[in-house]
Amino acid sequence: MFISLLVYNDRMQNTRSWILVFGVLAILGWLAWSVIGVVGETTHNALQPMSDITGKLSTQVAEVLHPTPTVLPDPITIVNQVRSLARLETIQYSVEKVITAEVGQGTFGFLFGDRLLFVAHGIVIAGVDLAKLGPEDLWIKNEVLYVHLPPPEVFVATLDNEKSYVYDRDTGVLTHGYVDLETTARKAAEEEIMKAALEDGILEQARQNAENFLYRLLRDLKFPEVIFVETAPEE
């Protein structure tokens, strides 16, 4: 009987020991999980500023490599001249030209040369300046109104900056390119656009359109007949 009690007590002590061991292990496991969570969150919080710094640095590098132009207009505006116009615009041309501008394309062009291809879209507007029409240019004879118009002229010959662009540019290894090369190409493009419009007969079409417009206007003003002449009568 006594031996049985001893065996029973030993088993109870072993059971309590194992329960104690499992309890300690459970507590240690819970503590370890809590510590890992805290450490993980602390590490995340610690790395967050570094991540923010890296993101800002990437943004700054992108701005350096691909800068956005900043336009700062002067708040002071000076009006040099104001004058009234009586221009009758009668025709508009839209012209496209491809301009090649280059410099230093000799033997050492691959080192110091600069070459660009500029696609130019331009607008040419022509018509008649009615401010140059004087009393001597209109006369009535036998109930017919004779009109001598001023010669047609080009009022506007300019580039459309929204559609014009540099298609390609090739600079030498030892040069950053010539600053005025694109400006030179733009000036040449304006001249070529105007030349193309003139060769296509824009002034003659402007004159015909002006005569047609004024003919209808003068007839509406009850002139029975209107004739346009190339020269004014001699006094």
Side-chain angles (χ1 to χ4, degrees):
M1 182 68 178
F2 179 74
I3 295 174
S4 299
L5 289 174
L6 290 176
V7 172
Y8 175 75
N9 289 334
D10 290 338
R11 289 179 178 177
M12 290 297 294
Q13 289 179 358
N14 291 333
T15 302
R16 290 175 182 174
S17 298
W18 281 110
I19 292 174
L20 182 61
V21 169
F22 283 121
V24 172
L25 290 176
I27 293 173
L28 291 177
W30 178 79
L31 290 175
W33 180 263
S34 300
V35 169
I36 290 173
V38 172
V39 171
E41 184 175 356
T42 303
T43 304
H44 174 74
N45 294 334
L47 293 178
Q48 186 64 34
M50 183 63 67
S51 177
D52 294 341
I53 294 174
T54 304
K56 293 180 180 179
L57 182 60
S58 299
T59 302
Q60 293 177 357
V61 171
E63 291 179 352
V64 171
L65 296 178
H66 306 285
T68 301
T70 301
V71 180
L72 300 174
D74 195 308
I76 300 176
T77 302
I78 300 176
V79 180
N80 293 321
Q81 185 180 13
V82 177
R83 62 173 181 153
S84 57
L85 299 175
R87 293 176 175 177
L88 178 61
E89 298 179 355
T90 59
I91 191 169
Q92 173 178 313
Y93 269 37
S94 295
V95 184
E96 179 178 337
K97 294 285 289 186
V98 177
I99 303 296
T100 301
E102 58 186 21
V103 62
Q105 296 298 312
T107 305
F108 299 99
F110 68 99
L111 293 176
F112 306 103
D114 190 5
R115 181 178 183 272
L116 66 82
L117 197 65
F118 184 72
V119 179
H121 290 260
I123 297 174
V124 183
I125 300 175
V128 175
D129 189 357
L130 297 180
K132 299 178 180 179
L133 187 67
E136 67 279 3
D137 296 315
L138 296 96
W139 66 96
I140 297 177
K141 184 178 181 181
N142 298 328
E143 297 184 353
V144 176
L145 175 62
Y146 292 88
V147 181
H148 170 243
L149 289 178
E153 56 186 287
V154 173
F155 297 142
V156 177
T158 186
L159 295 179
D160 187 344
N161 291 319
E162 294 184 356
K163 296 181 180 180
S164 302
Y165 58 93
V166 176
Y167 178 77
D168 184 39
R169 186 161 188 172
D170 184 17
T171 57
V173 178
L174 301 180
T175 180
H176 295 292
Y178 290 82
V179 178
D180 297 332
L181 190 60
E182 183 176 346
T183 301
T184 302
R186 287 179 173 273
K187 291 181 179 179
E190 289 183 351
E191 295 175 357
E192 289 297 318
I193 286 171
M194 176 129 173
K195 180 181 178 181
L198 292 174
E199 291 177 351
D200 196 61
I202 188 174
L203 294 180
E204 178 60 23
Q205 296 181 53
R207 182 189 64 80
Q208 294 178 5
N209 292 345
E211 290 181 358
N212 294 334
F213 174 79
L214 292 175
Y215 178 84
R216 294 191 300 269
L217 176 63
L218 295 173
R219 288 300 302 270
D220 290 341
L221 294 176
K222 306 305 179 183
F223 288 97
E225 187 60 45
V226 179
I227 297 178
F228 293 91
V229 296
E230 294 183 0
T231 58
E234 298 180 358
E235 297 182 357

